[in-house]
Amino acid sequence: MISVRGITKRFGTYPALHGIDLDIQPGEFIALLGPSGSGKTTLLRIIAGLEFQDGGEVLFNGEDVSSLRVAERHVGFVFQHYALFRHMTVAENVAFGLSVRKGKARVSKAAMRARAEELLRLVQLEGLGARYPAQLSGGQRQRVALARALAIEPKLLLLDEPFGALDAKVRKDLRRWLRDLHKAMGLTSIFVTHDQEEALELADRVVVMDQGRIEQIGTPDEIYMNPQTPFVSHFVGETNRIASSSGEIHFRPHDIELGLDGSHAVLVDNVFRKGGVWRVEGLLEGSGQFVELDIDTALEQPGLGETIRFHPHRARIFNADGAQTQRERHQGEKP
């Protein structure tokens, strides 16, 4: 098990992490999700040993590894921009971690070649070992980077925005492939992302971070369906926010019920197809607040300038301090 206890970190006068506590079970796939500056990459680098915390402990199976260098922690690390050696072949890149071992840990050249070939088959790049990184696509290079991270048989695989430099189609394909690989190898993995779709698709649990603090930890379904703070509600998924006398009402565009008796009315400013729904954008009558609604395409497309009445059938209300005063409203209840 990987544990961090009370981790703090400052860069000069800037507080990057505020007393982070987190436990990661063997075989888990954990996403650190948050905007730029939330502290997610700093936390990952501290777990890896690439940065050192100012306070707190990093524990691997109960052993404090805080003073150990990255090479002594036996972790595999995959960066966003591959970090491959351009002057080395693909096979040499994969075997690099083995080639620098010393003493009893030293590996023969034959063993390194065999391990590189084995991993290239695993990442579906067999036959490309003699090529150089410049001769590969972005998706192929990222697979090489992953194979290199796996070559040392790491206790823990860490990935920092691994698909951020790739186009949307390649990113989606690699996400599915990485999830299958994680399951097949029984890895314990932590990856950093600001892409909520990526986190919800890949992770067993999502750790949502903001301003150096953990806002919420939960399964993808818990994070999306039961956000515990205004930040999580707004950052994960699409959320409308309407001011009310009791606080701020948060609801998803699809969590609405249409009807002439609806408690809210929106003046339609824009309509477009979004998958199987009409996405309606407009201003809320009485307050001028911008809202987005999803309406089934089985219904007639709303017209510009039309007024639509609705009420949320699933919503959360947060007071001025960010505390949740009401978890959920069900169909037929009007906020």
Side-chain angles (χ1 to χ4, degrees):
M1 184 169 76
I2 311 299
S3 300
V4 296
R5 292 284 180 268
I7 294 294
T8 60
K9 179 68 178 178
R10 297 181 74 88
F11 294 104
T13 60
Y14 175 71
L17 295 173
H18 303 269
I20 299 294
D21 292 312
L22 178 64
D23 288 323
I24 299 165
Q25 300 300 323
E28 268 198 303
F29 204 157
I30 295 291
L32 302 181
L33 174 67
S36 297
S38 61
K40 56 190 187 296
T41 292
T42 299
L43 178 58
L44 191 79
R45 291 175 64 85
I46 286 172
I47 293 171
L50 295 169
E51 296 276 0
F52 290 94
Q53 67 271 24
D54 297 325
E57 298 176 318
V58 178
L59 306 171
F60 286 11
N61 296 322
E63 176 188 356
D64 188 355
V65 299
S66 300
S67 62
L68 299 183
R69 295 178 295 109
V70 60
E72 298 171 305
R73 298 192 189 190
H74 303 292
V75 299
F77 208 104
V78 180
F79 299 90
Q80 177 178 344
H81 295 288
Y82 324 125
L84 300 177
F85 298 110
R86 289 178 291 179
H87 66 285
M88 291 184 180
T89 65
V90 165
E92 289 168 341
N93 267 283
V94 172
F96 178 75
L98 300 176
S99 69
V100 296
R101 286 184 171 177
K102 305 294 183 183
K104 293 181 180 179
R106 192 173 180 84
V107 178
S108 70
K109 290 184 177 181
M112 283 190 284
R113 283 195 298 270
R115 180 66 172 153
E117 290 173 4
E118 174 192 353
L119 287 166
L120 288 174
R121 283 194 299 272
L122 182 69
V123 300
Q124 300 170 358
L125 292 177
E126 60 268 35
L128 300 184
R131 293 191 185 182
Y132 288 86
Q135 296 174 298
L136 303 180
S137 68
Q140 289 173 325
R141 274 180 260 175
Q142 195 57 289
R143 292 188 188 207
V144 174
L146 183 58
R148 182 178 61 184
L150 296 174
I152 61 169
E153 298 181 327
K155 297 178 181 177
L156 177 65
L157 180 64
L158 306 176
L159 306 104
D160 187 8
E161 300 274 9
F163 309 132
L166 305 172
D167 64 52
K169 176 64 167 66
V170 175
R171 218 164 45 231
K172 192 168 183 65
D173 290 344
L174 278 185
R175 286 205 301 256
R176 190 180 306 112
W177 171 81
L178 178 60
R179 180 70 195 184
D180 292 344
L181 182 69
H182 169 87
K183 287 181 178 178
M185 296 190 70
L187 295 168
T188 302
S189 306
I190 309 172
F191 77 104
V192 160
T193 183
H194 65 271
D195 184 328
Q196 55 180 280
E197 181 181 322
E198 193 165 275
L200 296 177
E201 180 181 333
L202 280 175
D204 297 315
R205 287 191 299 151
V206 179
V207 179
V208 184
M209 298 183 65
D210 185 44
Q211 298 182 3
R213 293 181 171 85
I214 292 177
E215 289 275 333
Q216 186 174 344
I217 303 173
T219 65
D221 189 61
E222 289 168 346
I223 295 293
Y224 185 84
M225 297 300 295
N226 189 24
Q228 296 296 299
T229 70
F231 175 81
V232 176
S233 176
H234 182 62
F235 186 73
V236 180
E238 298 174 297
T239 300
N240 292 300
R241 296 180 293 181
I242 298 177
S244 72
S245 57
S246 55
E248 196 172 59
I249 303 169
H250 287 222
F251 63 96
R252 307 293 190 191
H254 52 79
D255 284 332
I256 62 165
E257 186 175 280
L258 303 179
L260 295 176
D261 62 343
S263 52
H264 302 288
V266 62
L267 183 66
V268 178
D269 181 61
N270 187 33
V271 181
F272 58 92
R273 176 182 283 275
K274 186 176 182 181
V277 298
W278 300 119
R279 169 57 60 88
V280 173
E281 299 175 339
L283 300 180
L284 200 66
E285 189 178 84
S287 70
Q289 291 176 273
F290 177 80
V291 295
E292 299 174 297
L293 309 177
D294 287 341
I295 298 174
D296 197 318
T297 52
L299 301 175
E300 184 178 350
Q301 180 178 350
L304 298 183
E306 181 180 338
T307 297
I308 295 177
R309 299 202 66 85
F310 72 94
H311 63 260
H313 65 72
R314 182 194 300 271
R316 280 164 178 78
I317 301 176
F318 297 95
N319 65 22
D321 296 326
Q324 193 172 161
T325 60
Q326 184 167 328
R327 290 188 58 193
E328 192 170 352
R329 291 188 182 274
H330 298 279
Q331 192 163 345
E333 296 179 338
K334 298 179 184 179

